[in-house]
Amino acid sequence: MDGCTPKLEAKHYKSDLTPIWCPGCGHFGIQAAVNRAFAELQLDPAKVVVVSGIGCSSRIPAYTTCYGFHGLHGRALPLAIGLKLARPDLTVLVAGGDGDGFSIGGNHFLHACRRNVDLTYVVMDNEVYGMTKGQPSPTTAPDWDSDLQPGGTGISAFRPLGVALQSGANFIARGFSGDLGGLTKLIVQGIKHPGFSFIHALSPCVTFRPEEKEWKTQTHASGEALTSDFQEASRRIAADDGLTTGPLYAADRKAYAPPVAPMRDTKTDLSHILAEFRI
Amino acid sequence: MTQFTSEAGTVSVAITGSGGAGAITAGTLLLEAAGKAGWYGLMTRTVGPQIRGGEAAALVRLARSPVAGHGDVFNILIALDWRNVERFVAEIPLGPNSLALADDDAGDVPGKIAASGALNLTAPFAKLADDIRGARPNIIALGTVAALVGLPIEAMVETVAATLIEKGVSLADCTQAIRAGFDIGVQLMASQGAAASFRVPEAAGAGALPDRWVITGNQAAGYGALKGGIRFAALYPITPATDLLEWVAPRFAAIGGVLCQAEDEIAAVQMAIGASYGGVPSLTTTSGPGLALKLESIGLAVAAEVPLVIFNVMRGGPSTGIPTKSEQTDLNIALYGLHGDAPHVVVAPLSVDDCVITTQWAVHLAEELQTAVFVLSDQLMAQAKAVISAPKEVDFGTKRLVPVEPKAGVYKRYALTGSGVSPMAIPGMPGGQYTADGLEHNERGTPSSQANDHHSQLDKRNDKLNNFDYGDIWADIEGDADAEIGIITWGSTSAPVREALARASASGIKTRLVAMRLLAPARPAQLAAALKGVKKLLVVEQSHSGQFIGYLRAQYDLPVTPESLRHPGPLAIRPSEVCEVLSRWS
């Protein structure tokens, strides 16, 4: 932005819609961190697209003043990839929940990490399906009791950081909705880092997982510097209790980009193609 | 009872062999040589599921005027060997006037071939090939076919040489191979007379040849998509659709387009929706099983009003079905597969050359109406290669409606307008920020579960399709205006129906044909006008259950209860099947 344009503040990225979230929901903290990150980067809201799937957290696009796409459950990543490949000039941020990203959209998560398109993916993880009223998600501990799975699922929890690392994500971090400053910094880093940035954002569900309010005291900063060493990142993930926060890993893989950007002016002369068919 | 038998002016040649014998290569070269000689033709293929070592047949029909489909019988069957021929012998009908010419070493003539009454002879294709460097039995056989159908040997030599010289075969050896086969043909005609002569008569009053192309249906569709403005495409590989984008991929690189091979069918359609939301006309290709996976996403494009073209090449179903063979049975899923009330467009090309304009039109409709447009091609035309007259150039004036200087807080993405189409802001446009949503929403795009918002947005999405003027392109309406016999068909089945009606016309039977290109939204008034005065009605389709006739009876006011002529794939509808009904009626 040029010097004459007034500086954008976090509030300029906040729309006039009132979120559907419960009072005390962790998602408010993540929304605030996203807005602060946009302000820190002075992004033009007209050149940012927030893409999401379905779930409580996926309501976030309309709560910004940016362009948004609130699509289908689990399908935010491929939609965002298509958009970014078509419009490399835009900043694309993808947000959603743990069920959306790791269960129904799990395959897209693997391949988005692999493909390494320049996107930032914030998963607002509350270890529960909140919108459908309290079913276990992929990140729920196996012994968590619920109406649908009395006594627990008996299935070990999905470990997103390890999967992201193995699948090729270019930037990996974990934040906590209660740590606004720390999370903002991670989102800024993620947006600035080329390729696919994955930010695992712990976000308590105060309604269905009230015990997650304790994350405030249980989360702990890693204290270790960001590494670009795959082995070292693997070691840290192996030792992680799931509540370690901070930047973890940044690789220097080149972001995937097609050889040419698509032309939005489609009045191209095709006579050379026609000539291929002619006898 | 009237008999229609004429297939005058055409010759049909089937070339069969086990996988790797070069049957498909030979068919392709035969078609290209015919094109070089100034003829027209069509080649379809019937192959098994194996990549190598299966069975294959090239089905070629040649004429001096455009050929859209196959006839009733094959005049010549070239068997490079008889292995596995029983797997597709039903798709190659022979008659007492046909010639089945097998290699000397092919062994016993299969029972069904012998029972057809065809003249069974053998020729030393393999033996002759052994003596000529670089030659193979299929190339020798091509020389023979050239002689039997009256194709100039020079055109055949030139075509074969263009392929074989790249593989290190000399022009002299190519010429010798074709000549050796040609001599077999000449000897056969001398010894067998009319039983082995299938020369295609010159077209009466033929002047200068028009501009002609050699093209497959999928290539024609790819070209139509580019002409329409498609600059982003995503797919998950699936037979028989993949070759469309394989053709597009290098052309995209040249003209500025992006192709993405997605991790699955759902990702592919989502990528196309994302790119289109970004302002780039986008398409995804698939076939039946993939279409089933994409449906939820297509509903999103309808609800969020994002232009999207879904190009679906139909194959035998249900489930994995018959991936390599044709059937017209994805009609129901395309018409009715979306959940909720989700008005959308379904169009279908009628032939190989029609794939150009129908696909171009599909892009136009998607962009103009900001909705999902299905294109239903089928394996028969998609993977057919044809010599066609260059299709007419059409400019639909395609343009997506965008807002002019939208103002934040004022701009309404889903505004209720007279036409139902509302200006669509494109990311990057200041003041146009909105959130596209698959949740029901109000005019601004804010999610809403209120009855009035739901009702008005349902009206809007329906009105924009119903208020649109689709023009004459919705169907090809041909024949006699005062005919009392009407025939309705769609897709590649139009070709045998047209041929049947031409035969009927030659016998003095008046008919009227409606070959429908626009399948949804239904246009009952137009169809009623097209069928005015019709007292007998036949609906022709390649489906076991009668999906098309079921749709017509549900959505249209037909003048009379129609009769159904149908059967499932992979057997094509033959002109004689239509003629049988007409002769019963006249």
Side-chain angles (χ1 to χ4, degrees):
Chain A
M1 311 211 102
D2 64 46
C4 303
T5 316
K7 195 169 153 52
L8 288 161
E9 297 168 34
K11 65 178 182 191
H12 294 123
Y13 297 92
K14 190 171 177 293
S15 80
D16 55 4
L17 293 183
T18 307
I20 58 156
W21 303 324
C22 308
C25 176
H27 299 344
F28 286 105
I30 294 169
Q31 181 198 16
V34 167
N35 291 344
R36 282 192 184 198
F38 288 167
E40 188 166 329
L41 294 163
Q42 287 295 291
L43 297 175
D44 177 354
K47 291 181 180 159
V48 177
V49 185
V50 183
V51 179
S52 70
I54 293 295
C56 294
S57 54
S58 288
R59 291 291 192 121
I60 198 168
Y63 304 149
T64 73
T65 55
C66 304
Y67 277 92
F69 205 126
H70 181 212
L72 294 188
H73 194 32
R75 315 299 172 200
L77 283 171
L79 190 145
I81 287 169
L83 172 62
K84 181 68 182 180
L85 295 180
R87 293 290 307 279
D89 57 310
L90 301 171
T91 299
V92 180
L93 182 121
V94 189
D98 36 305
D100 187 79
F102 304 143
S103 193
I104 191 167
N107 191 36
H108 306 309
F109 179 55
L110 304 184
H111 290 277
C113 293
R114 263 185 76 217
R115 203 180 292 276
N116 201 33
V117 171
D118 189 15
L119 302 170
T120 304
Y121 183 34
V122 180
V123 174
M124 301 149 79
D125 189 352
N126 53 16
E127 300 180 4
V128 74
Y129 286 92
M131 189 153 263
T132 49
K133 299 191 170 28
Q135 297 78 37
S137 89
T139 48
T140 304
D143 58 352
W144 186 70
D145 188 60
S146 65
D147 289 349
L148 190 64
Q149 303 271 314
T153 61
I155 306 171
S156 55
F158 184 79
R159 294 169 63 91
L161 299 192
V163 173
L165 182 72
Q166 286 293 337
S167 305
N170 221 29
F171 176 85
I172 301 171
R174 183 185 288 130
F176 171 50
S177 61
D179 172 18
L180 188 52
L183 183 59
T184 302
K185 211 170 146 191
L186 295 178
I187 296 171
V188 168
Q189 276 180 287
I191 294 172
K192 283 165 82 170
H193 196 80
F196 186 77
S197 300
F198 170 55
I199 295 159
H200 186 214
L202 299 173
S203 182
C205 176
V206 294
T207 301
F208 296 106
R209 301 298 306 267
E211 70 278 19
E212 289 173 352
K213 290 184 204 164
E214 299 307 316
W215 281 353
K216 200 161 196 164
T217 53
Q218 292 166 340
T219 51
H220 50 94
S222 89
E224 294 184 279
L226 184 70
T227 180
S228 58
D229 183 84
F230 185 88
Q231 306 281 349
E232 172 59 17
S234 302
R235 187 194 63 75
R236 291 185 197 174
I237 287 170
D240 173 34
D241 63 354
L243 296 167
T244 316
T245 61
L248 172 74
Y249 175 72
D252 59 357
R253 268 209 306 151
K254 202 166 162 273
Y256 173 83
V260 289
M263 299 294 292
R264 286 165 67 199
D265 171 17
T266 55
K267 302 283 174 233
T268 325
D269 176 25
L270 300 176
S271 51
H272 60 286
I273 292 177
L274 194 153
E276 297 172 28
F277 301 132
R278 197 166 271 144
I279 297 176
Chain B
M1 216 157 105
T2 317
Q3 293 291 327
F4 314 102
T5 51
S6 165
E7 292 197 297
T10 73
V11 64
S12 294
V13 183
I15 305 172
T16 72
S18 50
I24 301 293
T25 305
T28 308
L29 292 170
L30 175 59
L31 181 82
E32 287 175 358
K36 206 156 270 200
W39 297 20
Y40 289 86
L42 173 80
M43 185 196 90
T44 63
R45 57 182 71 198
T46 173
V47 296
Q50 301 90 338
I51 301 304
R52 295 196 74 85
E55 67 282 0
L59 310 181
V60 186
R61 195 179 194 199
L62 304 175
R64 302 293 183 103
S65 54
V67 178
H70 286 302
D72 292 324
V73 293
F74 283 83
N75 306 100
I76 302 169
L77 167 64
I78 300 288
L80 299 169
D81 57 63
W82 287 122
R83 279 193 291 275
N84 299 324
V85 75
E86 71 282 356
R87 293 189 194 163
F88 48 69
V89 69
E91 294 162 59
I92 309 173
L94 299 175
N97 298 323
S98 305
L99 167 66
L101 188 59
D103 188 78
D104 277 349
D105 298 329
D108 293 342
V109 176
K112 279 186 181 159
I113 303 286
S116 69
L119 174 62
N120 272 283
L121 298 173
T122 66
F125 300 135
K127 189 171 169 299
L128 287 167
D130 282 346
D131 297 338
I132 302 166
R133 213 171 325 139
R136 295 185 57 209
N138 61 338
I139 301 301
I140 308 287
L142 277 177
T144 307
V145 172
L148 298 179
V149 306
L151 196 60
I153 189 168
E154 299 77 17
M156 186 57 83
V157 169
E158 200 186 326
T159 306
V160 169
T163 300
L164 290 193
I165 283 174
E166 278 178 20
K167 296 181 178 168
V169 182
S170 72
L171 177 61
D173 288 336
C174 285
T175 310
Q176 198 194 337
I178 298 295
R179 169 59 66 188
F182 198 86
D183 289 344
I184 295 175
V186 172
Q187 286 158 20
L188 278 174
M189 288 189 289
S191 60
Q192 303 293 330
S197 182
F198 303 95
R199 301 179 74 85
V200 180
E202 297 217 20
L209 278 170
D211 188 12
R212 290 170 314 132
W213 297 358
V214 182
I215 195 165
T216 72
N218 271 344
Q219 289 170 349
Y223 179 65
L226 298 183
K227 267 181 78 86
I230 293 293
R231 293 295 181 270
F232 182 92
L235 81 158
Y236 184 77
I238 188 166
T239 303
T242 312
D243 45 303
L244 194 161
L245 289 181
E246 281 177 334
W247 179 83
V248 165
R251 277 91 195 162
F252 257 176
I255 63 169
V258 169
L259 183 139
C260 197
Q261 182 184 334
E263 59 270 27
D264 59 37
E265 292 280 358
I266 297 170
V269 63
Q270 287 283 334
M271 286 173 180
I273 293 170
S276 177
Y277 167 82
V280 177
S282 300
L283 160 146
T284 183
T285 56
T286 194
S287 183
L291 184 61
L293 285 166
K294 288 181 197 289
L295 288 176
E296 186 197 15
S297 302
I298 297 168
L300 172 66
V302 170
E305 302 196 48
V306 180
L308 173 70
V309 177
I310 308 100
F311 194 97
N312 180 70
V313 183
M314 295 183 288
R315 63 191 217 185
S319 189
T320 311
I322 309 179
T324 54
K325 295 184 179 181
S326 211
E327 196 167 74
Q328 293 181 301
T329 46
D330 290 344
L331 179 62
N332 277 352
I333 190 176
L335 291 170
Y336 305 118
L338 304 181
H339 65 277
D341 285 327
H344 59 279
V345 179
V346 181
V347 299
L350 300 168
S351 58
V352 169
D353 55 323
D354 197 57
C355 285
V356 176
I357 192 166
T358 300
T359 313
Q360 186 188 346
W361 188 45
V363 183
H364 174 69
L365 295 176
E367 292 291 316
E368 289 284 326
L369 296 170
Q370 298 177 16
T371 194
V373 177
F374 293 71
V375 187
L376 295 181
S377 176
D378 58 52
Q379 184 275 336
L380 191 78
M381 74 172 110
Q383 297 194 318
K385 193 165 196 172
V387 179
I388 60 171
S389 291
K392 252 197 334 233
E393 285 281 324
V394 179
D395 183 359
F396 291 106
T398 304
K399 203 162 170 252
R400 193 184 292 188
L401 184 66
V402 296
V404 181
E405 295 183 14
K407 284 189 182 57
V410 177
Y411 170 66
K412 290 176 175 171
R413 164 63 186 105
Y414 300 107
L416 302 174
T417 61
S419 68
V421 178
S422 40
M424 178 178 179
I426 305 298
M429 258 179 206
Q433 289 99 307
Y434 75 101
T435 293
D437 211 318
L439 273 177
E440 191 55 282
H441 40 258
N442 61 21
E443 288 182 88
R444 198 182 145 186
T446 306
S448 167
S449 56
Q450 292 179 36
N452 59 339
D453 286 328
H454 185 43
H455 202 141
S456 58
Q457 291 293 319
L458 284 171
D459 279 345
K460 170 194 197 299
R461 295 191 291 260
N462 195 51
D463 289 350
K464 67 179 179 179
L465 267 57
N466 270 335
N467 295 343
F468 188 76
D469 178 6
Y470 295 88
D472 293 339
I473 192 174
W474 77 275
D476 280 359
I477 301 164
E478 296 161 7
D480 303 291
D482 58 345
E484 295 188 350
I485 294 175
I487 296 99
I488 313 175
T489 191
W490 72 291
S492 62
T493 297
S494 314
V497 171
R498 277 195 170 113
E499 180 161 339
L501 301 191
R503 292 186 207 170
S505 174
S507 307
I509 311 290
K510 289 182 173 181
T511 61
R512 200 174 322 152
L513 169 70
V514 182
M516 283 170 63
R517 213 177 260 112
L518 179 69
L519 298 165
R523 304 279 87 190
Q526 271 101 322
L527 187 64
L531 294 176
K532 203 153 181 271
V534 162
K535 295 195 169 57
K536 282 192 162 173
L537 188 58
L538 181 67
V539 175
V540 190
E541 63 185 304
Q542 193 186 26
S543 146
H544 184 265
S545 66
Q547 296 188 6
F548 186 49
I549 193 170
Y551 172 63
L552 292 173
R553 295 195 67 185
Q555 301 293 331
Y556 292 81
D557 296 319
L558 301 175
V560 286
T561 304
E563 191 166 313
S564 174
L565 170 58
R566 64 175 189 257
H567 58 67
L571 296 182
I573 299 281
R574 300 279 171 203
S576 59
E577 296 177 73
V578 181
C579 288
E580 275 165 31
V581 178
L582 298 182
S583 60
R584 184 152 48 76
W585 281 2
S586 55

